[in-house]
Amino acid sequence: MDSSVAPGSAGWLPWGLLGSICVLAAVLGLAFLRQWRRGRGLGRRLRAATSELDELRQRDSLTGLPTRVAFERALAEAVSRADADGGTVAVLHLGLDNFRPVNDGYGHRVGDALLREAARRLAEQVAPPLALCRMGGDEFALMVPGADSDAARRRAQALVDALARPYACEGRELRVGASV
């Protein structure tokens, strides 16, 4: 009796075909592994990009001050602490007076320069734990934990005084006031 299996019978598989299947499985495995690793890398990059976007949402691109989003988060934490400790939190909302005529009359570049200078002056007046932000447009907010109404009034007056000094923007001397 012949011990070899005839082609077409159930036990016949050419060795070349078996080798091809093994090579194909190895190639597919490597391709899968490469995609899996790339996917992990994409996940890391996506997390980093998301973190960077969150950071950008926290800072105003024009002034560098925290944004309203960051301010609201800090305010919520300060109010929680004040509630727990029986303390207070004062919030001052500042708006620049007569800013629109500057922006409309001299252009956005001059208006932006004025906003940057106003933000710098406000930041000079603020030290932690105070929190300052640009709410948007020509509006700013300041949080003063632990302040009573007299301390808040004094702080507000200091901010108004700092903003009342003349501004040198793009070769022009400009004056704007502030309301709190």
Side-chain angles (χ1 to χ4, degrees):
M1 178 163 225
D2 188 4
S3 63
S4 66
V5 179
S9 67
W12 183 79
L13 186 61
W15 290 109
L17 182 59
L18 183 58
S20 296
I21 291 173
C22 289
V23 168
L24 180 61
V27 168
L28 288 175
L30 289 173
F32 174 77
L33 184 60
R34 183 180 305 138
Q35 288 297 325
W36 181 70
R37 284 184 178 160
R38 184 177 296 152
R40 284 187 25 213
L42 286 175
R44 269 194 303 273
R45 288 193 302 254
L46 180 60
R47 283 189 299 278
T50 302
S51 176
E52 185 176 342
L53 281 174
D54 191 44
E55 183 73 25
L56 289 172
R57 282 182 0 139
Q58 305 287 324
R59 288 270 162 213
D60 177 58
S61 62
L62 179 65
T63 64
L65 292 176
T67 62
R68 181 183 51 81
V69 171
F71 183 79
E72 288 172 351
R73 191 174 294 154
L75 180 59
E77 291 171 10
V79 167
S80 278
R81 280 192 304 274
D83 283 345
D85 300 341
T88 61
V89 177
V91 176
L92 306 176
H93 185 259
L94 298 91
L96 296 180
D97 299 334
N98 301 315
F99 175 73
R100 182 176 283 283
V102 170
N103 216 24
D104 292 347
Y106 297 110
H108 291 286
R109 195 169 80 195
V110 172
D112 288 351
L114 192 143
L115 286 172
R116 281 190 296 272
E117 176 60 18
R120 188 191 65 71
R121 290 180 187 184
L122 290 171
E124 284 178 349
Q125 300 291 318
V126 176
L130 306 181
L132 172 67
C133 82
R134 179 174 178 216
M135 296 294 278
D138 64 345
E139 297 179 349
F140 301 87
L142 176 68
M143 175 181 59
V144 189
D148 61 15
S149 58
D150 288 335
R153 271 192 218 94
R154 285 191 305 276
R155 173 68 60 185
Q157 189 59 54
L159 297 172
V160 167
D161 292 345
L163 293 172
R165 296 190 321 263
Y167 293 81
C169 298
E170 302 284 327
R172 295 175 175 80
E173 184 176 293
L174 304 171
R175 291 183 181 269
V176 297
S179 298
V180 180

